[in-house]
């Protein structure tokens, strides 16, 4: 794991936008897996701006979602599908055949996960994965204690995630389960960038960087990946030793 520090969230976001852009320029058929949430939003806006300004061809790239709230319909602006459609797929004019999302309403969510694993295999794996970090150290919805052996799977969300997750919804929402890429999908991704910004992420970033590697704080597991990066702004890095 390489730690990269940025003065501001804006600088961090620009760096992430550039990483995505450069990856697609180097390999136009790249498979990019994206997190949702407050952290990467600005990076995706900057990515869309750069693509338009520099006329970059992103039409051959494939985009994959990192996770989804089980049971939340796609019409709900709090769903990961809605977020990625609004902030990435529509601005970049990505074809439906190049978008791979979890169906939160699937009758058989486990089959949905197996289908995602098959899709990733047929695309040749994930080239670049952008992830955030939950207040409990989760990555995607890999909550504390989740086995490292998992591929995409359904998981019971812990209480912190259920309550923090309310911020994405305009009305109180029952968030009992999530669908997520598992640690094996993350370990197999060629490059993984974890983003963290703001004072509220300072305690969990200290744990992610300094605690012994274990699934008690899932983000520590990323330190085992051969090409992983923690992109952190000054506030989120403020408690690092
Ligand atoms: C959410 C998502 C993660 C996200 C994280 C941080 O629950 N499952 O994929 O990265 O929590 O979200 P935020 O960027 O809003 O702090």
């Amino acid at each position: 794991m390489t730690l990269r520090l940025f003065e501001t969230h804006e600088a961090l976001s620009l760096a992430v936008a550039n990483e995505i852009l450069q990856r697609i320029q180097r390999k136009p058929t790249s498979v990019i897996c994206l997190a949702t949430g407050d952290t990467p939003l600005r990076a995706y806006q900057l990515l869309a701006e750069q693509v338009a300004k520099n006329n970059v061809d992103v039409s051959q790239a494939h985009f994959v979602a990192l996770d989804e709230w089980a049971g939340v319909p796609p019409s709900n602006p709090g769903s990961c599908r809605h977020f990625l459609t609004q902030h990435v797929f529509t601005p970049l004019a990505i074809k439906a055949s190049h978008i791979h999302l979890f169906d939160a309403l699937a009758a058989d969510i486990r089959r949905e996960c197996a289908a995602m694993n098959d899709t990733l295999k047929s695309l040749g794996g994930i080239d670049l994965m952008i992830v955030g970090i939950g207040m409990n150290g989760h990555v995607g919805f890999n909550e504390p204690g989740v086995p490292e052996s998992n591929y995409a799977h359904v998981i019971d969300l812990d209480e912190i995630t259920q309550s923090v997750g309310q911020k994405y919804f305009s009305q109180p929402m029952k968030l009992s389960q999530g669908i997520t890429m598992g640690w094996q999908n993350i370990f197999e991704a060629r490059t993984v960038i974890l983003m963290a910004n703001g004072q509220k992420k300072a305690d969990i970033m200290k744990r992610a960087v300094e605690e012994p590697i274990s699934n008690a704080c899932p983000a520590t597991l990323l330190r085992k990946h051969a090409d992983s990066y923690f992109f952190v702004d000054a506030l989120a890095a403020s408690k690092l030793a």
Side-chain angles (χ1 to χ4, degrees), residues 5-9 12 196-206 232-240:
L5 300 179
F6 298 87
E7 265 315 299
T8 61
H9 183 225
L12 162 70
N197 75 289
Q199 191 65 45
K200 67 171 191 278
K201 294 285 172 75
D203 286 321
I204 196 62
M205 279 317 295
K206 185 171 178 62
V232 187
D233 80 348
L235 289 171
S238 58
K239 295 192 177 170
L240 298 182

Side-chain angles (χ1 to χ4, degrees), residues 143-220:
E143 302 282 30
V146 76
E148 291 176 43
S149 54
N150 281 0
Y151 282 89
H153 61 284
V154 188
I155 184 167
D156 291 337
L157 298 174
D158 85 14
E159 279 175 23
I160 297 177
T161 305
Q162 293 187 32
S163 73
V164 173
Q166 298 301 322
K167 69 176 175 167
Y168 305 118
F169 298 93
S170 54
Q171 286 174 349
M173 199 70 189
K174 188 168 172 282
L175 302 172
S176 47
Q177 288 194 315
I179 317 171
T180 184
M181 295 293 177
W183 276 107
Q184 288 304 311
N185 303 105
I186 300 173
F187 290 142
E188 289 177 10
R190 289 175 190 98
T191 302
V192 183
I193 299 176
L194 178 144
M195 306 175 68
N197 75 289
Q199 191 65 45
K200 67 171 191 278
K201 294 285 172 75
D203 286 321
I204 196 62
M205 279 317 295
K206 185 171 178 62
R207 292 186 61 198
V209 174
E210 296 172 15
E211 251 184 29
I213 294 174
S214 101
N215 65 5
C217 177
T220 61

Side-chain angles (χ1 to χ4, degrees), residues 35-40 66-67 69 131-134 138-141 161 167-168 200-201:
T36 55
D38 296 334
T39 311
L66 174 68
D67 52 14
W69 305 101
V131 302
I133 182 169
H138 74 206
V139 175
F141 281 132
T161 305
K167 69 176 175 167
Y168 305 118
K200 67 171 191 278
K201 294 285 172 75

Side-chain angles (χ1 to χ4, degrees), residues 23-44:
R23 183 64 65 141
I24 295 173
Q25 284 175 316
R26 276 206 306 277
K27 180 184 173 190
T29 58
S30 284
V31 178
I32 312 283
C33 179
L34 298 177
T36 55
D38 296 334
T39 311
L41 173 58
R42 182 66 185 141
Y44 300 157

